[in-house]
Amino acid sequence: MHVAVIGTGYVGLVTGACLAHLGHHVICVDNNPAKVEGLQRGRLPIYEPGLEELVREGSASGLLQFTTHLQTGIQSSQVVFIAVGTPALPSGDPDLRYVEAVAREIGQHLDEQYRVIVNKSTVPIGSGDWVRMLILDGAAEAAKQRFSSSEEGKGETLLGDPETATGQGGVFTLDESRWMPHFDVVSNPEFLREGSAIHDTFHPDRIVVGSDSPRAIQIMQQLYEPILSRQGGLAGDPVPWVVTDLASAEMIKYAANAFLATKISFINEIANICERTGADVTQVADGIGLDKRIGRSFLNAGLGWGGSCFPKDVAALIQTAADYGYEARLLRATVEVNQEQRQRLVEKLQQALKVLKGKTIGLLGLTFKPNTDDMRDAPSLSLIEHLRKLGAKVKAYDPVVSGSGIREGLAHVVVETDALRLAQDCDALVLVTEWQEFQTLDYGRLASLMRRPLLIDARNCLDRQALRQAGMTVLGVGW
Ligand code: NAD
Ligand code: UGA
């Protein structure tokens, strides 16, 4: 199948590379020329384990191509994915300007061939219909321009009004060319996690498609068939294929992220109660997680959730509810608990070190989670802000960020190249991101380099006993 993916970020690039691996012809479109040029040379704009190999493989086979030219992408494809960003606005609403621009542009380049336009970006409920309208608007504008500028068009009759055209097949027709955009918009929310994006794409818990068009649904099923039936070396039982209406598919995405974020805030709240009562939240999570109705995943207490999606998607759902006159109290509390979790960590440092002014705090890890270079809404950033406000000096070491050019939000942070340099003269270390390499650090050596051998394991991921034996004073979250 011929596929275009618009937007080569974490979602678009992974989707494109994985579909090419499954044998589809994929053309990835991005309006950032530097990104596209890099990809054409095999240079990735993001860090995602396994992605470089997949991109190399796709490029070598010719199944994966990159361009800035949207028209080429659209006109050579039967399925067009929209995978551009939808970051949060200060109001909490998602910023839909990238989706809007792409939808209009798609409309401008549609020809007579039938196409499925797939919303993979996370967009508010109702966006499927909105995207459809924008595509029709774009198509109408382009046709109007073609009609008014074409020498041949001078003799043509415009049937219907491009401004008011609605619905498939209801679009105006140029008498001579019989041009008519012929497409369906489907919602196909993405559930991949950064750091394990390729595994998640090939082994999803389900694939959700929201549409009322049997033709579009059939094409989507054909596209995903290798994953659904675990062909091409993919192991496991068949993947559930979930077909819904458009609005429900859009809501499934928000509800899934909101639930997971709530689950984390729940365990963080339990952690805060554990600290006061003498229980240990890790043992509690293990104990309740064995209940199949609860499950152990997303019950790791710590600094709370960050990243490019949970914060913006929970905010967007709260905002959507408000738009419809409903106050999402549980979701508001989820956000509050999450924000306070970072403040609590600073309070822990204050309790241990008293005055933070003039103290040096070293952060182990900066990214919002391990195995990614993504710093969007990383808990480290708010921690840095809190600490700097209190007059502390902040140093940091991150396995990926330290060696990269990423310095956004880190202007006042000393970014060290390894953990030993980080520990030098620190009054405390805080493990912020549970990178695998932090499991095997020589903590005895780190302790000897520090001004005070205090370590706060803000992800509860290290062996406390071993750390104590190495001479560290250890604190955590929820015990
Ligand atoms: P991203 O910011 O990493 O990438 C977006 C890309 O779109 C950028 O490369 C940008 O240059 C490109 N772009 C913007 N406007 C364009 C245009 N007019 N034409 C062509 N390209 C354009 O975003 P992301 O993290 O991949 O997220 C994309 C969407 O997927 C968002 O809605 C997000 O909520 C959703 N999502 C993300 C994840 C994730 O883990 N990152 C997971 C599930 C869903
Ligand atoms: C999340 C969802 O897990 C994906 O299903 C979804 O597709 C994606 O958002 C999205 O919509 O973009 P991601 O943000 O990549 O994926 O990472 P997660 O593994 O979900 O972690 C999110 C945050 O929660 C991280 O800051 C992580 O440290 C934190 N977390 C996670 C906890 O604090 N405790 C946990 O038990 C699990």
Side-chain angles (χ1 to χ4, degrees), residues 7 9-11 30-31 35 84 86 102 122 190 194 312 376:
Y10 290 88
V11 168
D30 204 287
N31 65 352
K35 241 182 209 188
V84 295
T86 49
V102 168
T122 302
E190 179 53 63
E194 289 178 22
K312 85 170 167 63
R376 290 178 283 184

Side-chain angles (χ1 to χ4, degrees), residues 11 122 190-195 200 206 253 257 260 264 267-268 296-310 313 368-370 379 434 459:
V11 168
T122 302
E190 179 53 63
F191 301 104
L192 65 77
R193 291 161 299 171
E194 289 178 22
D200 291 351
R206 75 299 206 188
K253 175 63 199 171
N257 274 0
L260 293 169
I264 300 167
I267 201 66
N268 280 331
R296 177 63 178 83
S297 67
F298 281 72
L299 283 183
N300 295 324
L303 257 185
W305 40 272
S308 68
C309 290
F310 283 178
D313 291 349
F368 84 97
K369 63 181 284 191
E434 64 276 34
R459 295 291 175 185

Side-chain angles (χ1 to χ4, degrees), residues 171-207:
V171 180
F172 70 93
T173 307
L174 295 182
D175 192 34
E176 294 294 319
S177 63
R178 311 285 309 160
W179 175 84
M180 185 155 62
H182 194 33
F183 67 97
D184 281 301
V185 176
V186 311
S187 165
N188 173 217
E190 179 53 63
F191 301 104
L192 65 77
R193 291 161 299 171
E194 289 178 22
S196 55
I198 290 165
H199 176 272
D200 291 351
T201 303
F202 287 137
H203 302 91
D205 289 341
R206 75 299 206 188
I207 294 178

Side-chain angles (χ1 to χ4, degrees), residues 203-330:
H203 302 91
D205 289 341
R206 75 299 206 188
I207 294 178
V208 175
V209 169
S211 170
D212 56 6
S213 157
R215 184 174 183 184
I217 292 166
Q218 196 204 343
I219 289 172
M220 291 302 288
Q221 192 164 9
Q222 215 178 315
L223 179 77
Y224 282 125
E225 189 49 35
I227 296 176
L228 290 168
S229 57
R230 311 275 196 194
Q231 294 160 15
L234 304 182
D237 294 330
V239 175
W241 172 244
V242 182
V243 176
T244 68
D245 56 72
L246 259 170
S248 300
E250 290 164 348
M251 182 55 110
I252 285 171
K253 175 63 199 171
Y254 280 103
N257 274 0
F259 182 82
L260 293 169
T262 304
K263 204 172 172 190
I264 300 167
S265 284
F266 170 82
I267 201 66
N268 280 331
E269 184 147 288
I270 296 294
N272 296 331
I273 303 171
C274 283
E275 276 182 23
R276 285 158 178 76
T277 53
D280 179 335
V281 75
T282 305
Q283 295 179 37
V284 173
D286 290 343
I288 62 172
L290 283 168
D291 185 327
K292 290 189 181 61
R293 295 168 302 174
I294 296 174
R296 177 63 178 83
S297 67
F298 281 72
L299 283 183
N300 295 324
L303 257 185
W305 40 272
S308 68
C309 290
F310 283 178
K312 85 170 167 63
D313 291 349
V314 177
L317 191 52
I318 292 172
Q319 197 51 41
T320 299
D323 289 346
Y324 286 81
Y326 179 77
E327 196 200 338
R329 293 191 298 276
L330 180 60

Side-chain angles (χ1 to χ4, degrees), residues 20-47:
H21 178 79
L22 297 173
H24 296 298
H25 294 262
V26 181
I27 182 154
C28 287
V29 185
D30 204 287
N31 65 352
N32 180 333
K35 241 182 209 188
V36 170
E37 199 190 321
L39 283 162
Q40 286 166 338
R41 291 164 190 260
R43 223 178 34 240
L44 264 63
I46 52 168
Y47 173 81

